[in-house]
Amino acid sequence: MKAFSKLFQKIEQTTSTNAKVKALVEFFEEAPDPDKIWAIALFTHRRPKRTVSTTFLRLWAAELANIPDWLFENSYHIVGDLAETIALVLPVNKVSVDKPLAQWITEIAALKNEPEEVKKEYIIEAWNALDKNQRFLFNKLITGGFRVGISQRLITKALSKYLEVDDSKIAHRLMGDWSPFDISFQDLMVSEDFKDNISRPYPFYLAYSVEKELEDLHPVEEWSAEWKWDGIRGQFIYRENEVFIWSRGEELVTDRFPELHTIPNGLEYDFVIDGEILAFYEGQPMNFQHLQKRIGRKSVGKKLIKDVPVVFMVYDLIEYKGEDIRQLPLKERRSLLNQLVKESNSENLILSEQVEFTEWSELRALIEEARARKTEGFMLKNLHSPYRDGRKKGDWWKWKVDPFTIDAVMIYAQRGHGRRANLFTDFTFALWDGDRLVTFAKAYSGLTDVEFQELSRFVRKNTIERFGPVHSVKADLVFELAFEGIQESKRHKSGIALRFPRILRWRKDKKASEANTLADIKTLLD
Amino acid sequence: MAKLLEHNDKGIYCEVADVYIDPWKAVKKAFITHAHADHARPGSSEYVCVDASKNIIKHRLSTQNVSSIPFGETLSVNGVKFSFHPAGHIIGSAQIRVEYKGEVWVVSGDYKTEKDHLSGEFAPLKCNTFITECTFGLPVFNWRPQAEIFSDINEWWAKNYADKKISFVSAYSLGKAQRVISGLDASIGKIYCHAAVENINEIVRDSGFNIQKTFRLDPDVPRKELEGAMIVAPPGFMNSNFISKLKNVDLASASGWMNLRGARRRRSVDRGFVLSDHADWTGLLDTINATEAEKILVTHGYVNVFSKYLQEQGYDASILETEYEGDEVELESTADESV
Ligand SMILES: [Zn+2]
Ligand SMILES: [Zn+2]
């Protein structure tokens, strides 16, 4: 684990991409194969199943640190990360052992069915033999969530350098459902025939928000525009008569959408298509909130399928008749896709139409209809573009409609974490309902540091009551909030829930009485 | 009977002597623990501090109405005996001991228990009531010895020197900056200081402290000359044009907060050196125990958590509310943007 810990620190101690890649390459050059594949798995958010509950970890850590449980919990709240809190409160280790990363993981996995005392003894012995940094990583092996400054792209780059293989090949190999418990580093990254895994998806091509004038995208004839549907981006795979559906979050969701299994509809060749899983009722897309009901469940009942049927709104074709066609220009991929959709003739496969336009001004007028059409705006794609992997600038752009906005009163504030513990960073907002204020959204971010400090001063001076870290505050300040969507919600007092609420600006020009009402925001529901 | 020290809307007040300690509003007579902005505020008619702090307070508050006494000496005001004792926090930082009719109160100001070359050696004082800071009053804050931290800093600098990179350490200009400088190995390269830091360096040198040779960072300095050098500057300067235009610079921050990953990431520095001028968890608890105080008042920091823990440990502890708004780094991060 020392080598892995050193790698982790090197990565954390630099903001330079090159230095991170270099550190990874150096690690790959030295590490045994099992450690390599585990490092890759951890950095790409594939973690072993938890075998020790975090409740126990907290209790044991508090015990070993000789502090009361409540103090441990408070510290955890302030640090914001359990693995780190444990690593920090424990006394300095007196002995030290070094085992390979893969061995630690295997040992932790083997604890699964052991009684509590055995687990406890193992964990405490490990804590006592690891330094602060290694302890942190050891805890992460149990609790998961390696949020480190490494993107999929960075690890891909490092592997491509180390193995001297093109990065798009590496990116593809890293996709899908694999676990170091079942596959070796050689088989995953190096072996010639890796097609054995028929469920393996391709990396999604992701777009940035359009940042220039539309007119800079020229000539205009080379661009296509499609509505940006508000569902779940997905990849539909049909290989060897089997269907696999992946969400953009690289989660296999095949079983959640049984009605999509009929899409191949007799087609006799393998294909992979990219599109949007969309709740769709009687020829019309439904609001995203309906789809949410289906995302939450692993198995779906008949009633739910009847109430919230889904379709696959298809954007692109990336594998055709068993061949990877990502390098073909979009125009050609789309014409093959047209043909595929026709041949399948499945009612659950709908082609995302390309909007006809000859000048950008036409789209500017049309985007006004985006919300009425239950879309988020447009996707603009260059017709010559290949299907790239990851987020790349230039060929594809997303163009979202402006968010909804509303003026609301801040009435609760919560302290931040870490060194921001002296500042208030999380706020709850309310709207008027008669002469009452009803809370309807929580939001943070969107203010400058100076504004946060000013706001914190206000909270301190105008606190009415404290509930732990939460302060109720005199209803005085008005903020303009932005949000992407609104839906009815039984769980909230206000009866509504917002998508992605955030603070847009502090309306110092408005008094609390001038904030919007609950009735105002409800007019946005439809 | 009224308490010897009371807290009101202006600060910690001694009614018998009509004296405030570290007041946050303008008062007649202010005793100052140290020159940081959250303790020494401008506008009062008269300031009293320890000798080592005098010139710095004059500079920071732009006032001449500052008198001082040496560490350990007593100043009586209407029968109340005031004295200053090293707090180990920064140059000239003091705990203030207040004695009246046999009753002793101590106001810690900010303090650090580990000894450095500049700040004087902290020692706990026996008292009846101890007003203690608790900036790092959580069990997650335990410092490694400063010698280890300085060797990390120098190792980092030496590596950057070899790579022809500039090393940049952000440290608040009074205290942390001088402490960092005193730990730097000048055989590695040249040390440049931001004007805010260099101004303090000069005052401190004039007051007889030995701070090694540093160069004032001139905005027109040829960038080539900075290769391999060390720049010490306040946190706000990190986002300046000067720094963001440099290509070959490695950024670091020296602060107790760097103990937390979240803080390092928010600052987006390459390196976070855990170097604090405050007592850590163990330092606070050991000090409180050593004062043998019957009553503990906590201020500055995680006051709720810390006082609750002390109560559980059997202390008569409570919170002293202040208008404290953040640590030194935060207060400085919005200032000092230019060279
Ligand atoms: Zn201070
Ligand atoms: Zn302070």
Side-chain angles (χ1 to χ4, degrees):
Chain A
M1 181 106 94
K2 275 191 186 139
F4 185 63
S5 166
K6 211 168 130 194
L7 164 68
F8 190 81
Q9 280 187 69
K10 276 192 193 163
I11 289 167
E12 290 234 299
Q13 288 173 355
T14 178
T15 47
S16 142
T17 310
N18 285 339
K20 286 178 186 176
V21 170
K22 188 166 165 257
L24 280 163
V25 172
E26 281 167 11
F27 173 81
F28 289 134
E29 277 164 355
E30 299 294 325
D33 277 2
D35 281 18
K36 275 183 214 150
I37 191 168
W38 268 115
I40 298 168
L42 295 170
F43 288 143
T44 55
H45 313 290
R46 290 170 172 84
R47 66 176 181 86
K49 285 214 170 61
R50 189 172 292 170
T51 56
V52 184
S53 92
T54 55
T55 314
F56 283 132
L57 291 179
R58 294 143 101 133
L59 292 174
W60 301 336
E63 187 187 320
L64 197 59
N66 195 23
I67 55 173
D69 294 338
W70 69 265
L71 181 55
F72 180 87
E73 291 305 316
N74 267 284
S75 302
Y76 171 31
H77 177 79
I78 285 157
V79 173
D81 182 291
L82 183 63
E84 185 181 358
T85 310
I86 295 173
L88 291 174
V89 297
L90 296 179
V92 175
N93 60 305
K94 294 196 182 69
V95 290
S96 114
V97 296
D98 190 23
K99 294 185 225 176
L101 175 66
Q103 188 184 337
W104 282 110
I105 293 171
T106 315
E107 287 175 7
I108 293 168
L111 293 174
K112 187 167 188 280
N113 297 314
E114 296 292 341
E116 193 193 319
E117 312 83 70
V118 175
K119 291 182 181 178
K120 183 175 177 182
E121 194 187 336
Y122 175 83
I123 301 284
I124 289 185
E125 199 181 307
W127 281 341
N128 280 332
L130 296 169
D131 70 21
K132 197 154 82 180
N133 296 315
Q134 293 174 44
R135 241 179 224 165
F136 169 72
L137 294 171
F138 172 80
N139 295 339
K140 281 287 179 198
L141 295 179
I142 302 172
T143 62
F146 268 85
R147 256 175 287 145
V148 58
I150 286 202
S151 58
Q152 184 101 356
R153 193 147 121 202
L154 214 127
I155 189 113
T156 307
K157 213 168 154 191
L159 280 166
S160 138
K161 230 175 159 178
Y162 166 62
L163 295 167
E164 296 172 352
V165 179
D166 189 58
D167 27 333
S168 69
K169 286 207 177 93
I170 301 280
H172 191 189
R173 280 175 183 259
L174 290 179
M175 294 292 290
D177 196 14
W178 55 267
S179 156
F181 284 124
D182 314 318
I183 191 168
S184 70
F185 177 78
Q186 290 297 321
D187 285 345
L188 180 73
M189 299 308 308
V190 187
S191 81
E192 285 301 318
D193 88 296
F194 91 119
K195 279 222 158 161
D196 54 344
N197 186 345
I198 60 165
S199 77
R200 191 191 306 267
Y202 290 91
F204 284 87
Y205 182 10
L206 307 172
Y208 279 95
S209 291
V210 66
E211 52 194 16
K212 295 183 278 190
E213 287 299 315
L214 294 172
E215 278 68 19
D216 291 334
L217 307 176
H218 63 88
V220 65
E221 315 76 74
E222 286 187 7
W223 290 84
S224 85
E226 290 165 58
W227 291 107
K228 188 175 183 316
W229 300 99
D230 192 10
I232 309 165
R233 181 92 178 269
Q235 202 174 114
F236 184 99
I237 296 176
Y238 183 61
R239 288 185 188 130
E240 299 177 16
N241 300 315
E242 263 196 84
V243 166
F244 304 94
I245 305 170
W246 291 91
S247 74
R248 207 197 91 182
E250 276 190 60
E251 197 185 353
L252 200 52
V253 293
T254 320
D255 297 338
R256 294 185 206 178
F257 304 104
E259 63 265 61
L260 300 184
H261 299 186
T262 60
I263 282 177
N265 211 13
L267 288 182
E268 283 178 359
Y269 51 84
D270 294 354
F271 64 88
V272 178
I273 48 182
D274 173 14
E276 198 89 8
I277 300 165
L278 203 58
F280 207 77
Y281 192 74
E282 294 184 343
Q284 290 293 324
M286 299 166 84
N287 273 340
F288 186 77
Q289 66 172 112
H290 294 100
L291 188 58
Q292 254 170 347
K293 290 182 203 146
R294 296 208 41 180
I295 303 170
R297 324 235 171 129
K298 286 242 150 121
S299 67
V300 283
K302 282 215 177 79
K303 172 146 185 1
L304 191 56
I305 293 182
K306 200 170 142 260
D307 291 348
V308 189
V310 300
V311 297
F312 198 74
M313 181 69 83
V314 63
Y315 298 135
D316 213 328
L317 176 63
I318 44 191
E319 185 179 305
Y320 183 61
K321 299 192 171 167
E323 239 179 281
D324 175 357
I325 59 161
R326 289 178 294 168
Q327 291 313 313
L328 289 183
L330 174 63
K331 214 174 175 169
E332 290 177 38
R333 297 200 307 275
R334 282 289 297 210
S335 85
L336 291 171
L337 179 63
N338 268 325
Q339 202 181 315
L340 183 145
V341 172
K342 276 198 198 103
E343 285 168 7
S344 138
N345 197 27
S346 157
E347 57 178 9
N348 295 330
L349 181 66
I350 301 181
L351 186 71
S352 159
E353 294 290 346
Q354 290 171 315
V355 175
E356 287 199 24
F357 70 104
T358 48
E359 270 176 69
W360 292 113
S361 57
E362 296 167 40
L363 285 188
R364 280 203 187 92
L366 205 51
I367 200 169
E368 300 296 327
E369 296 173 19
R371 288 202 196 279
R373 289 169 179 266
K374 303 269 186 343
T375 69
E376 295 183 292
F378 283 121
M379 283 296 306
L380 307 176
K381 298 176 181 173
N382 190 299
L383 288 165
H384 300 297
S385 61
Y387 189 95
R388 301 182 189 275
D389 50 83
R391 205 176 284 282
K392 302 262 160 68
K393 279 192 183 179
D395 285 338
W396 288 18
W397 299 99
K398 59 181 174 200
W399 177 22
K400 283 196 176 186
V401 280
D402 293 334
F404 296 110
T405 60
I406 194 126
D407 292 332
V409 187
M410 190 267 287
I411 59 168
Y412 293 102
Q414 184 169 351
R415 285 178 189 278
H417 289 283
R419 62 187 303 280
R420 281 182 171 250
N422 286 309
L423 292 178
F424 291 85
T425 56
D426 296 15
F427 303 96
T428 304
F429 296 90
L431 294 170
W432 292 105
D433 184 20
D435 55 3
R436 243 163 25 105
L437 279 167
V438 179
T439 62
F440 75 111
K442 270 187 152 198
Y444 44 99
S445 78
L447 294 177
T448 64
D449 274 5
V450 177
E451 283 176 319
F452 269 126
Q453 292 189 12
E454 190 180 345
L455 195 48
S456 298
R457 265 197 298 276
F458 174 87
V459 172
R460 247 177 256 123
K461 289 192 178 136
N462 294 281
T463 293
I464 300 166
E465 255 185 294
R466 290 189 185 192
F467 318 92
V470 179
H471 290 218
S472 76
V473 183
K474 195 172 151 212
D476 234 4
L477 304 186
V478 179
F479 292 83
E480 183 176 352
L481 304 186
F483 54 97
E484 296 302 323
I486 175 169
Q487 60 198 46
E488 281 179 58
S489 158
K490 292 204 178 69
R491 279 184 300 136
H492 296 85
K493 239 195 281 178
S494 61
I496 51 166
L498 304 186
R499 284 184 77 199
F500 305 126
R502 61 218 185 247
I503 303 169
L504 208 57
R505 66 187 136 252
W506 187 343
R507 296 294 306 258
K508 292 186 177 171
D509 56 324
K510 285 205 167 183
K511 292 197 203 91
S513 59
E514 295 173 85
N516 283 104
T517 64
L518 204 53
D520 292 340
I521 202 169
K522 281 187 174 164
T523 61
L524 302 173
L525 284 169
D526 43 273
Chain B
M1 196 188 87
K3 286 185 207 142
L4 181 52
L5 295 182
E6 201 96 50
H7 153 254
N8 66 25
D9 63 340
K10 294 194 177 108
I12 300 170
Y13 183 52
C14 176
E15 199 185 334
V16 189
D18 193 17
V19 156
Y20 280 88
I21 295 174
D22 290 355
W24 43 83
K25 287 190 180 145
V27 298
K28 224 163 70 197
K29 194 170 190 142
F31 277 53
I32 303 296
T33 59
H34 66 291
H36 276 148
D38 54 334
H39 299 259
R41 308 255 180 130
S44 292
S45 325
E46 191 192 342
Y47 293 92
V48 181
C49 66
V50 75
D51 288 346
S53 203
K54 189 175 179 179
N55 291 338
I56 310 170
I57 289 181
K58 279 183 171 172
H59 166 74
R60 286 231 148 178
L61 302 184
S62 319
T63 176
Q64 292 304 317
N65 304 326
V66 185
S67 59
S68 67
I69 54 170
F71 276 124
E73 206 160 275
T74 299
L75 183 74
S76 287
V77 184
N78 198 22
V80 183
K81 290 189 232 163
F82 291 89
S83 55
F84 293 87
H85 305 266
H89 171 57
I90 60 165
I91 291 175
S93 66
Q95 312 176 70
I96 298 181
R97 184 180 182 279
V98 185
E99 184 180 347
Y100 184 62
K101 293 188 177 165
E103 186 182 353
V104 178
W105 287 53
V106 170
V107 179
S108 77
D110 293 334
Y111 64 101
K112 169 169 96 333
T113 50
E114 192 183 18
K115 192 188 169 194
D116 64 47
H117 300 301
L118 301 166
S119 315
E121 190 170 359
F122 174 87
L125 303 168
K126 301 254 187 300
C127 55
N128 302 97
T129 303
F130 184 44
I131 301 180
T132 178
E133 64 128 328
C134 60
T135 308
F136 292 106
L138 285 179
V140 294
F141 295 110
N142 291 294
W143 313 142
R144 286 160 62 212
Q146 59 191 345
E148 290 179 21
I149 309 296
F150 283 128
S151 93
D152 284 356
I153 296 177
N154 285 317
E155 198 181 296
W156 169 74
W157 183 15
K159 187 175 177 297
N160 286 339
Y161 180 88
D163 296 344
K164 295 210 160 88
K165 280 163 97 176
I166 304 166
S167 300
F168 175 96
V169 175
S170 91
Y172 58 83
S173 53
L174 167 59
K176 184 64 60 60
Q178 290 73 36
R179 185 157 168 230
V180 168
I181 293 164
S182 75
L184 290 177
D185 176 358
S187 71
I188 299 171
K190 252 173 137 177
I191 305 166
Y192 285 89
C193 292
H194 179 277
V197 173
E198 193 59 21
N199 290 343
I200 302 280
N201 290 351
E202 281 170 7
I203 295 167
V204 168
R205 284 187 189 114
D206 285 348
S207 307
F209 288 92
N210 183 18
I211 308 259
Q212 64 177 316
K213 171 110 187 106
T214 53
F215 297 87
R216 188 175 282 266
L217 184 64
D218 178 338
D220 300 325
V221 63
R223 300 305 184 257
K224 188 87 189 146
E225 228 172 83
L226 292 176
E227 261 177 26
M230 167 69 75
I231 299 176
V232 180
F237 190 58
M238 201 149 74
N239 308 316
S240 67
N241 261 333
F242 184 92
I243 294 298
S244 31
K245 278 192 187 146
L246 294 175
K247 273 175 238 99
N248 53 340
V249 61
D250 231 30
L251 302 173
S253 177
S255 153
W257 297 109
M258 293 298 117
N259 198 40
L260 303 182
R261 279 180 82 221
R264 291 198 294 271
R265 292 160 65 129
R266 267 192 296 275
R267 288 240 130 194
S268 71
V269 288
D270 299 301
R271 284 297 292 265
F273 296 109
V274 187
L275 187 73
S276 175
D277 294 337
H278 293 266
D280 66 2
W281 172 250
T282 318
L284 291 169
L285 294 178
D286 288 351
T287 300
I288 287 165
N289 183 49
T291 62
E292 295 174 16
E294 295 115 46
K295 194 165 172 47
I296 311 293
L297 294 170
V298 305
T299 173
H300 272 61
Y302 300 102
V303 289
N304 292 308
V305 177
F306 193 60
S307 59
K308 181 175 169 190
Y309 179 74
L310 291 178
Q311 286 159 9
E312 276 194 12
Q313 299 300 303
Y315 291 100
D316 177 359
S318 46
I319 298 170
L320 184 80
E321 289 285 352
T322 64
E323 296 205 358
Y324 170 66
E325 281 168 6
D327 59 299
E328 293 81 4
V329 182
E330 225 133 53
L331 288 167
E332 275 205 19
S333 64
T334 47
D336 294 325
E337 301 288 332
S338 56
V339 174

